[in-house]
Amino acid sequence: MSAQLRDIAGELAGVLWREHTVYRERSGGVVIRGEHVRRWISLAPTGGRGEALVRVGRILDGGTTAPARSEAVVPLSAGTDVLAATCRRLLAEAAADVAPGAPGRAAPGRSGKAGKAGKAGKTRRSGKAGRSGGSGRHTGFGSWVILACVAGLIALYVHTVAMRG
């Protein structure tokens, strides 16, 4: 299965991007990195025969990868064209999920619901939809200490200037 995924990933990478790197994951899957588009695609074997889990994510500054933004299960017998169309759709969804002003956050109004029914078209979002739990406090104790020190330095400066003048 790993050799088959490697061959399919090589063909898929040539269809999707001119510049790409294909390498094998420890888990037996294959990753296609498109540095110029700052995206990655992963093909991993699933429990079913002849199917692959396709995941798509972003490449962050410094070359590290962000967690998958969307994924789908695709039959390998469908061919490279169907696989490429699925990857393009997942890449478009991943790009739409990132708000321009806040990298790494989901765009408002987007939900994690699947767009199509059926195993081949099923899309699942990973990532956090929102913070669960938490105290609701936004500014920690350390931040308040820093703010107090800065206010003290400003007060000391104002006092020194007032004493000289």
Side-chain angles (χ1 to χ4, degrees):
M1 182 71 165
S2 181
Q4 182 185 9
L5 279 179
R6 173 89 178 172
D7 294 340
I8 291 171
E11 292 175 24
L12 180 63
V15 169
L16 292 176
W17 299 319
R18 289 183 188 164
E19 301 172 29
H20 58 271
T21 305
V22 179
Y23 61 91
R24 191 178 65 82
E25 289 181 300
R26 287 182 223 141
S27 63
V30 180
V31 175
I32 306 166
R33 285 179 67 108
E35 297 289 339
H36 64 293
V37 292
R38 301 178 59 93
R39 297 282 184 254
W40 60 265
I41 300 170
S42 169
L43 301 173
T46 63
R49 301 190 88 175
E51 294 179 332
L53 174 64
V54 179
R55 300 181 329 156
V56 172
R58 295 182 304 133
I59 298 175
L60 304 174
D61 293 336
T64 60
T65 57
R69 304 291 300 175
S70 55
E71 56 188 34
V73 177
V74 179
L76 295 176
S77 61
T80 307
D81 293 338
V82 172
L83 193 56
T86 301
C87 289
R88 286 185 183 111
R89 179 179 55 85
L90 294 175
L91 287 165
E93 288 177 6
D97 280 348
V98 178
R105 303 267 178 169
R110 302 269 314 170
S111 67
K113 295 180 182 176
K116 294 182 180 179
K119 199 168 190 177
K122 187 175 182 180
T123 302
R124 186 174 58 191
R125 304 257 189 258
S126 67
K128 298 175 185 167
R131 292 185 94 147
S132 60
S135 63
R137 197 172 74 190
H138 296 281
T139 308
F141 177 73
S143 297
W144 285 113
V145 170
I146 291 171
L147 288 173
C149 289
V150 169
L153 286 172
I154 292 172
L156 180 63
Y157 174 76
V158 170
H159 176 72
T160 304
V161 170
M163 293 301 288
R164 287 186 182 169

